Amino acid sequence: MGVFRDRMRQDLEIRGKAKSTCDNYVRAMAGLVRHFMRRPDELTPDDIKRYQHYLLHDRGVSCSSLNVAVCAFRFFYTHVVPVSW
């Protein structure tokens, strides 16, 4: 995720996000990319929904952790790699 990670971190810092928020968002995106073994700009909304389901039901993450991941995905696909979906 190299170039995307750097761009995401930079965009988060420009918006004044805390270092812990930056770290958590980048970690959430890295988990998504690792799960599908594809670049984040190649993923679809269905992929992201399946990953959220996986986090909640298979990994058993808390609702607050799931919320952090959802916010990270929203930020990434709004500011770093804007998509129309």
Side-chain angles (χ1 to χ4, degrees), residues 11-82:
D11 286 347
L12 286 162
E13 289 171 358
I14 288 170
R15 287 167 176 76
K17 301 296 183 186
K19 182 183 181 323
S20 61
T21 300
C22 296
D23 293 344
N24 288 332
Y25 279 24
V26 168
R27 188 176 310 114
M29 282 303 302
L32 174 68
V33 169
R34 223 178 7 258
H35 181 78
F36 287 104
M37 302 296 276
R38 293 196 325 242
R39 293 167 33 127
D41 59 338
E42 297 173 349
L43 298 175
T44 67
D46 285 337
D47 292 331
I48 295 167
K49 287 178 188 175
R50 284 197 324 268
Y51 184 67
Q52 290 172 13
H53 186 270
Y54 161 78
L55 287 176
L56 195 58
H57 295 284
D58 296 345
R59 293 269 316 275
V61 302
S62 66
C63 290
S64 61
S65 294
L66 181 63
N67 188 51
V68 168
V70 169
C71 291
F73 305 154
R74 184 180 305 127
F75 182 88
F76 184 85
Y77 290 108
T78 300
H79 299 287
V80 181
V81 177

